[in-house]
């Protein structure tokens, strides 16, 4: 069984290369058709949580607040309708680690019937990771990666262990297990 659980429910790209959110079951079906043609048997939609106005109270960076305009209920209904039509889809959401606002975010998401939650980190020390100059202008590459893994390890909604830890250590030259278990639960 081949699956892809990291899909964003976007429409076709426009003239400038932007792909807007299209939160409909018909759009989800477009993804299913392409997935089947490529041998993928099941897909999961994981739209970024900061696109939904229900989560507006937890955001403070302009990158997030400017995008927080869509309705989470419409997204959930679209994916659930695709599932009701018999398509092999899962309802997920990509949730950022937001520090002391994590409990508030979890509470906002609790009523929704997600099949899974994909954890992510898009900011370190209140600075954007994905936007230039963001954190990269203010911190060294090593400091950014340490902050990233610190947030990853603190994220209460998601965890990684076993082989995932081994790959992270090997790829980044860090001893995460030693730091986690011997250093109070977070990277320093």
């Amino acid at each position: 069984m081949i699956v892809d659980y990291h899909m964003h429910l976007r429409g076709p790209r426009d003239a400038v290369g932007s792909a807007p959110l299209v939160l409909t079951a018909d759009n989800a079906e477009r993804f299913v058709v392409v997935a089947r043609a490529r041998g993928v048997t099941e897909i999961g939609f994981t739209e970024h949580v900061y696109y939904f106005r229900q989560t507006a109270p937890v955001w403070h960076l302009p990158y997030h607040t400017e995008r927080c305009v869509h309705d989470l209920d419409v997204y959930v209904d679209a994916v659930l309708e695709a599932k009701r039509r018999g398509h092999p889809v899962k309802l997920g959401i990509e949730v950022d680690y937001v520090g002391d606002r994590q409990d508030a975010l979890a509470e906002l998401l609790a009523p929704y019937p997600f099949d899974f939650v994909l954890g992510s980190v898009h900011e370190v020390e209140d600075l954007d990771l994905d936007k230039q100059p963001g954190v990269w202008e203010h911190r060294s590459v090593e400091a950014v990666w340490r902050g990233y893994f610190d947030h990853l390890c603190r994220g209460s909604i998601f965890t990684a262990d076993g082989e995932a830890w081994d790959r992270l250590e090997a790829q980044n030259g860090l001893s995460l297990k030693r730091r986690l278990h011997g250093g109070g639960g977070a990277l320093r």
Side-chain angles (χ1 to χ4, degrees), residues 87-101:
H87 296 303
V89 299
K90 298 279 188 192
L91 174 62
I93 192 144
E94 185 171 339
V95 176
D96 288 63
Y97 174 73
V98 291
D100 61 358
R101 301 175 315 269

Side-chain angles (χ1 to χ4, degrees), residues 83-158:
K83 193 183 286 196
R84 280 190 290 275
R85 293 179 185 179
H87 296 303
V89 299
K90 298 279 188 192
L91 174 62
I93 192 144
E94 185 171 339
V95 176
D96 288 63
Y97 174 73
V98 291
D100 61 358
R101 301 175 315 269
Q102 199 70 31
D103 288 342
L105 181 56
E107 188 175 314
L108 291 167
L109 297 175
Y112 295 94
F114 296 112
D115 294 312
F116 67 101
V117 174
L118 178 66
S120 65
V121 176
H122 288 99
E123 65 180 78
V124 172
E125 297 179 25
D126 290 328
L127 297 167
D128 290 308
L129 274 173
D130 298 335
K131 188 176 173 188
Q132 293 296 330
V135 71
W136 304 100
E137 183 176 286
H138 304 282
R139 304 288 182 273
S140 70
V141 171
E142 182 177 339
V144 171
W145 278 111
R146 289 190 184 282
Y148 175 87
F149 285 115
D150 182 54
H151 287 348
L152 184 68
C153 296
R154 292 174 189 245
S156 61
I157 291 179
F158 57 100

Side-chain angles (χ1 to χ4, degrees), residues 37-63:
R38 294 180 179 168
V40 177
T41 52
E42 184 174 75
I43 60 175
F45 292 101
T46 53
E47 200 48 67
H48 291 278
V49 71
Y50 53 76
Y51 279 112
F52 302 110
R53 63 178 164 258
Q54 288 88 338
T55 67
V58 303
W59 308 114
H60 65 282
L61 294 176
Y63 182 86

Side-chain angles (χ1 to χ4, degrees), residues 5-6 53 63 73 75 79 81 133 143 148 153 165:
Y5 286 173
H6 190 185
R53 63 178 164 258
Y63 182 86
D73 294 315
Y75 166 67
V79 177
E81 176 58 26
Y148 175 87
C153 296
W165 283 121

